[in-house]
Amino acid sequence: QVQLVESGGGLVQAGGSLRLSCAASKRTFSSYAMGWFRQAPGKERERVAAISWTGGSTYYADSVKGRFTISRDNAKNTVYLQMNSLKPEDTAVYYCAADPDRPLHEIHYWGKGTLVTVSS
């Protein structure tokens, strides 16, 4: 069982930055690929970024490419999402998850989410 807790969300003006963190329970964290997803009101949950268990491979959705950076520190059991040049359309609840390459309904480990609000 992997428990995930997100933090770092908040209210920011357009063009600003936020850094999200996802702390994982120690057991087996380093063996999982990890990802960040987001869900805006009335929209489906979408994968934003993912990182392999080594940190050597990353994925970004086209909508955030060049603005967001995913990273991880396996010694601290933590994955991060640095978000720069934020836009109002980035407003959503952001979730971290293990095994982000699986279909959504097959992902077993989710955090409870952290709200990011970007004002125009």
Side-chain angles (χ1 to χ4, degrees):
Q1 185 92 14
V2 178
Q3 295 178 332
L4 305 171
V5 179
E6 302 95 337
S7 61
L11 174 64
V12 64
Q13 288 187 333
S17 298
L18 282 175
R19 188 194 196 202
L20 306 183
S21 299
C22 173
S25 55
K26 183 176 181 179
R27 182 176 178 178
T28 69
F29 168 78
S30 61
S31 66
Y32 284 95
M34 297 295 297
W36 286 95
F37 293 73
R38 68 185 181 187
Q39 188 165 18
K43 295 188 177 181
E44 294 184 354
R45 192 171 297 190
E46 62 172 345
R47 187 174 59 162
V48 172
I51 189 166
S52 61
W53 70 274
T54 64
S57 178
T58 56
Y59 159 86
Y60 297 96
D62 287 344
S63 58
V64 307
K65 204 170 290 184
R67 300 188 297 121
F68 290 11
T69 302
I70 189 170
S71 61
R72 68 189 296 162
D73 185 337
N74 286 343
K76 295 183 178 180
N77 301 321
T78 303
V79 62
Y80 305 97
L81 186 67
Q82 178 67 43
M83 306 186 295
N84 299 328
S85 302
L86 283 161
K87 304 175 181 180
E89 51 263 44
D90 294 319
T91 295
V93 178
Y94 283 72
Y95 301 89
C96 70
D99 279 342
D101 294 333
R102 292 177 175 269
L104 287 181
H105 68 278
E106 294 184 10
I107 295 175
H108 297 297
Y109 303 124
W110 292 96
K112 292 185 178 181
T114 185
L115 177 63
V116 172
T117 304
V118 184
S119 64
S120 58

